Amino acid sequence: MKKTILSISVAISCAYASEGLLLQEAKQNFGPLPKTFPSETNTLTQAKIKLGKMLFHEKRVSIDGTTSCAKCHPFSYYGADNLEKSRGNFGKLNPRNAPTVLNAAGQISQHWRGDRKDVEEQARKALLGKGSFGAPSNEWVEKKLQSIEQYTVLFKKAFPNDAKPISVANYAKAIGAWERMLSTPSRFDEFLEGRSNALTQEEKAGLKTFIKTGCASCHSGALLGGTMNQKFGMVAPYWEYTKSKKIDEGRYNVTKKEGDKYVFKVPQLRNIAMTSPYFHDGSVTSLKEAVKIMAKVQLGVDLSQEETQSIYLFLESLTGKLSQDIVTVPLLPETN
Amino acid sequence: MKKTILSISVAISCAYASEGLLLQEAKQNFGPLPKTFPSETNTLTQAKIKLGKMLFHEKRVSIDGTTSCAKCHPFSYYGADNLEKSRGNFGKLNPRNAPTVLNAAGQISQHWRGDRKDVEEQARKALLGKGSFGAPSNEWVEKKLQSIEQYTVLFKKAFPNDAKPISVANYAKAIGAWERMLSTPSRFDEFLEGRSNALTQEEKAGLKTFIKTGCASCHSGALLGGTMNQKFGMVAPYWEYTKSKKIDEGRYNVTKKEGDKYVFKVPQLRNIAMTSPYFHDGSVTSLKEAVKIMAKVQLGVDLSQEETQSIYLFLESLTGKLSQDIVTVPLLPETN
């Protein structure tokens, strides 16, 4: 009898110790998601956020009148678009997969190749992007916005000290402000804050596998990614394992540095289960398959089916809560 | 003194009498908006409505993966898309302007030419429409839906007595059920229910002008339209006044009856101020201009600027309230 009690309590202590260790390891690698993603150059005011939310859904600034930020980042699909590659104005194919806009502001940079320094620059440059909004010029966009009476009022409220409140720079700042609010904490954050049973035993086992396998060496921080650039295919060429139709040289095409060949920003993993398909070219639909490929080409590890499933279950715990504000669409002003 | 009191009370009585008369006339022509638009063949259950709302936003059933009902009927734009003519799969141009889906279920039929008997038929046929979803077959759509695990559960809940819950017919019924909930009452309904000051004096004057001019002879009922088909251009060919790029023969192309030449369904006027551009071809952007043209080509009336403005102000009072449920986007299931 005594022996049984002893072994039970040893088992419990071990479980506690191992749980404590897991939390400690998790805290070393990751961090809880901040409530917002502030910026030194773009103060988050209510008026700016409100306007930004409207502009995020505004199609009238695109050449075909169908393209808004929400077109490629609909919140129904967790801020991504479920396509291999996005389709912008007149259905034009974009060169890469649209990553989710949720929590995106918390990354070191924007776009797969990190060639947009922040969400504001991304929003601003997308306007003139041939495959995105396709607007002919900044002046054209400003004229469009000026033609909608209510925006005159709203831009003035959001940028009260500007001599010319309606500008593409302010359009980008407003959208940036809105995007800096798109934080979607999940049960994983509760776990990181010490509530051990916020994750199931299976999810905790998955977290352990995730760290043990080496995934966390790149997928780290509050977003489990978005903190660095890395070569896709450290161990083996990615295109031999993905279903990529062509080879994308990644950051090399931006910097022309040999060391940047096949380098991409490490994508964040927040809401990853909801934002299929995967990789810069959306070439893989199944998250489990994506996990297996990553382990193989980045770490040289052949994951077993059980390990893959285990990591998959952990990744599902990163599906966050979208606030009522995020899922409420704004009503846009009348065309004058 | 007595005389003054007398004349004030006479004036008040007259005002009351005239207000009463206006309400009476309004009630003869229009009716308050129902809370839902029920159907004898499609019972509105919570499970069906919930599923229908999701399917309304579902792009995975389109050939290009970008087209959902919400693409041409986004609620940010009051259920219409602010385009002359909608763009469906791969940016294909549709033959006519997308009318709002708000309150649409309350009409005698769907589409400008009335060639869809109800919202369910519209939803079902849009799937295979070359310019809309472009799906190759009903079976293809059903396979897509079956591939998304969560839909198996949701269709079963919505259609518990069906041997095969996932079907295009049930897809259409679910979307129809959701669309039958899209009622957007406005201050005009409060006025019709007897709260006289729900409308401003200017709006009431506009209502009077609207009725007096003859608009209400076609734009009648709870939706101020959607109750009948009529020739567009009773007095003068419409294309001489609109900015139409080509002549659309309307219902004639559906029925081949000579009497149906240039006949269209009379569009509803609920939320009309928010759903520019106007007419079957979206050829006119300004609501005031559309009002002037209608008076001219339908009634042979040259409206003065004041009368046009007056009617415009009344029409703005038809902008309704979108419930929180309408403006909340549903989160869609993971791709499996």
Side-chain angles (χ1 to χ4, degrees):
Chain A
M1 181 65 173
K2 261 196 179 167
K3 214 175 160 184
T4 320
I5 290 174
L6 185 70
S7 53
I8 288 175
S9 50
V10 167
I12 291 174
S13 308
C14 287
Y16 272 127
S18 122
E19 289 249 320
L21 198 64
L22 180 62
L23 177 58
Q24 202 183 313
E25 276 191 283
K27 279 183 167 176
Q28 274 161 15
N29 286 288
F30 319 112
L33 204 58
K35 283 200 177 117
T36 64
F37 304 97
S39 155
E40 282 179 16
T41 51
N42 191 15
T43 332
L44 306 184
T45 67
Q46 282 312 309
K48 219 191 272 182
I49 293 163
K50 187 192 159 189
L51 172 61
K53 178 174 172 175
M54 292 171 81
L55 295 174
F56 186 88
H57 291 82
E58 185 52 78
K59 315 181 295 133
R60 285 170 280 190
V61 290
S62 68
I63 193 67
D64 68 344
T66 81
T67 311
S68 68
C69 308
K71 185 185 201 175
C72 300
H73 303 286
F75 295 117
S76 280
Y77 291 87
Y78 284 76
D81 65 2
N82 207 262
L83 296 171
E84 285 183 27
K85 292 168 184 178
S86 293
R87 291 194 172 269
N89 71 88
F90 296 115
K92 273 181 209 142
L93 203 62
N94 275 258
R96 285 171 205 87
N97 172 270
T100 179
V101 75
L102 296 172
N103 312 296
Q107 301 173 104
I108 44 157
S109 60
Q110 300 301 314
H111 279 195
W112 280 96
R113 302 182 302 177
D115 55 345
R116 298 289 183 269
K117 76 173 175 0
D118 52 26
V119 284
E120 287 79 8
E121 190 184 55
Q122 195 283 328
R124 183 169 57 79
K125 291 197 171 168
L127 281 173
L128 303 193
K130 288 201 194 323
S132 43
F133 289 69
S137 69
N138 285 340
E139 293 66 36
W140 183 89
V141 172
E142 289 166 1
K143 256 195 187 157
K144 278 273 173 191
L145 291 170
Q146 279 154 358
S147 77
I148 300 164
E149 269 174 36
Q150 208 186 320
Y151 280 136
T152 316
V153 181
L154 293 170
F155 270 86
K156 211 172 164 56
K157 270 192 193 160
F159 303 97
N161 303 320
D162 284 27
K164 188 194 156 205
I166 291 190
S167 68
V168 158
N170 285 347
Y171 163 94
K173 277 191 174 175
I175 289 179
W178 162 243
E179 292 187 350
R180 290 177 182 283
M181 302 303 290
L182 304 180
S183 166
T184 68
S186 79
R187 289 182 292 114
F188 181 57
D189 299 284
E190 292 179 45
F191 173 81
L192 287 175
E193 281 155 7
R195 207 165 75 70
S196 174
N197 60 359
L199 296 186
T200 64
Q201 286 308 324
E202 291 74 22
E203 289 164 348
K204 279 185 264 196
L207 167 59
K208 213 180 280 181
T209 315
F210 185 83
I211 297 172
K212 190 192 70 194
T213 308
C215 312
S217 55
C218 292
H219 290 286
S220 58
L223 272 59
L224 297 89
T227 63
M228 64 179 88
N229 299 310
Q230 277 294 357
K231 183 175 171 183
F232 185 19
M234 297 282 272
V235 176
Y238 72 81
W239 54 89
E240 288 181 10
Y241 292 84
T242 60
K243 289 162 193 158
S244 301
K245 284 159 201 155
K246 61 173 209 159
I247 297 171
D248 186 330
E249 295 184 316
R251 273 184 71 75
Y252 173 74
N253 291 323
V254 180
T255 65
K256 300 294 169 199
K257 286 182 192 159
E258 196 58 31
D260 278 342
K261 251 189 187 159
Y262 319 125
V263 167
F264 296 90
K265 190 180 61 195
V266 175
Q268 59 152 323
L269 298 181
R270 292 279 177 179
N271 301 300
I272 193 73
M274 307 310 290
T275 56
S276 168
Y278 302 104
F279 304 136
H280 63 277
D281 52 9
S283 58
V284 172
T285 305
S286 148
L287 180 51
K288 289 180 198 167
E289 199 183 335
V291 167
K292 266 186 89 72
I293 293 169
M294 283 306 285
K296 183 70 187 175
V297 306
Q298 298 304 102
L299 303 159
V301 172
D302 285 300
L303 286 180
S304 70
Q305 212 178 322
E306 289 69 32
E307 287 166 322
T308 309
Q309 174 70 13
S310 179
I311 292 178
Y312 167 76
L313 288 178
F314 163 62
L315 294 178
E316 276 203 319
S317 81
L318 301 174
T319 300
K321 196 175 154 40
L322 277 61
S323 69
Q324 185 60 49
D325 191 24
I326 297 180
V327 294
T328 302
V329 298
L331 295 176
L332 299 182
E334 179 177 350
T335 294
N336 300 108
Chain B
M1 179 68 174
K2 261 193 179 168
K3 213 175 163 184
T4 319
I5 291 172
L6 184 71
S7 52
I8 289 175
S9 51
V10 166
I12 292 174
S13 309
C14 287
Y16 272 127
S18 123
E19 290 249 320
L21 198 64
L22 181 62
L23 177 57
Q24 201 182 316
E25 276 191 283
K27 280 183 166 176
Q28 274 161 15
N29 286 289
F30 317 111
L33 205 57
K35 283 200 177 115
T36 64
F37 304 97
S39 155
E40 281 179 14
T41 51
N42 190 16
T43 331
L44 306 184
T45 67
Q46 281 312 309
K48 218 191 272 182
I49 293 162
K50 186 192 160 189
L51 172 62
K53 178 174 171 175
M54 293 170 80
L55 295 174
F56 186 88
H57 291 80
E58 186 53 77
K59 315 180 296 134
R60 285 170 280 190
V61 290
S62 67
I63 193 66
D64 68 342
T66 81
T67 311
S68 68
C69 307
K71 185 187 202 174
C72 299
H73 302 286
F75 295 118
S76 280
Y77 290 87
Y78 283 76
D81 65 3
N82 207 263
L83 297 171
E84 285 183 27
K85 292 168 184 178
S86 293
R87 290 194 172 269
N89 69 88
F90 296 114
K92 274 181 209 141
L93 203 62
N94 274 258
R96 284 171 206 86
N97 172 270
T100 179
V101 74
L102 297 172
N103 312 296
Q107 301 174 104
I108 44 157
S109 60
Q110 300 301 314
H111 279 194
W112 279 97
R113 303 182 303 177
D115 55 345
R116 298 289 183 269
K117 77 173 176 353
D118 51 27
V119 283
E120 287 79 8
E121 190 183 57
Q122 195 283 327
R124 183 168 58 78
K125 291 197 171 168
L127 280 174
L128 303 193
K130 287 199 194 325
S132 44
F133 289 68
S137 69
N138 285 340
E139 293 66 36
W140 183 90
V141 172
E142 289 166 2
K143 256 195 185 156
K144 277 274 173 190
L145 291 170
Q146 279 154 358
S147 77
I148 300 163
E149 269 174 36
Q150 208 186 318
Y151 279 136
T152 316
V153 181
L154 293 170
F155 270 86
K156 213 174 161 57
K157 269 192 193 159
F159 303 97
N161 304 319
D162 283 29
K164 186 192 156 207
I166 291 190
S167 68
V168 158
N170 285 347
Y171 163 95
K173 276 190 175 175
I175 289 179
W178 163 243
E179 292 186 351
R180 290 177 182 283
M181 302 303 289
L182 305 179
S183 166
T184 68
S186 79
R187 289 182 291 115
F188 181 56
D189 299 285
E190 293 178 44
F191 173 81
L192 287 176
E193 282 154 6
R195 206 165 75 70
S196 174
N197 59 358
L199 296 186
T200 64
Q201 287 307 325
E202 291 73 24
E203 289 164 347
K204 280 184 264 195
L207 167 59
K208 213 180 281 179
T209 316
F210 184 83
I211 297 172
K212 190 192 69 194
T213 308
C215 313
S217 54
C218 293
H219 290 285
S220 57
L223 273 59
L224 296 90
T227 63
M228 64 179 89
N229 299 311
Q230 276 295 356
K231 184 175 170 184
F232 185 18
M234 297 283 270
V235 176
Y238 72 80
W239 54 88
E240 289 182 8
Y241 292 85
T242 60
K243 288 160 194 159
S244 301
K245 284 159 201 154
K246 60 174 209 158
I247 297 170
D248 186 332
E249 295 184 317
R251 273 184 71 75
Y252 172 75
N253 291 323
V254 180
T255 65
K256 300 293 169 200
K257 284 182 193 160
E258 197 57 32
D260 279 341
K261 250 185 188 163
Y262 320 125
V263 166
F264 296 89
K265 191 180 63 195
V266 175
Q268 59 152 323
L269 299 181
R270 291 279 178 179
N271 301 300
I272 193 71
M274 307 310 290
T275 56
S276 169
Y278 303 103
F279 304 136
H280 63 278
D281 52 8
S283 59
V284 171
T285 304
S286 147
L287 180 52
K288 288 180 199 168
E289 199 183 334
V291 167
K292 267 188 88 72
I293 293 169
M294 282 307 284
K296 183 69 186 177
V297 306
Q298 298 303 102
L299 304 159
V301 172
D302 284 300
L303 286 179
S304 69
Q305 212 177 323
E306 290 68 33
E307 286 166 321
T308 309
Q309 174 70 12
S310 180
I311 291 177
Y312 168 76
L313 288 177
F314 164 61
L315 294 178
E316 277 203 318
S317 80
L318 301 174
T319 299
K321 197 176 153 36
L322 278 62
S323 69
Q324 185 60 49
D325 192 24
I326 296 179
V327 295
T328 302
V329 299
L331 296 176
L332 299 182
E334 179 177 349
T335 293
N336 300 107

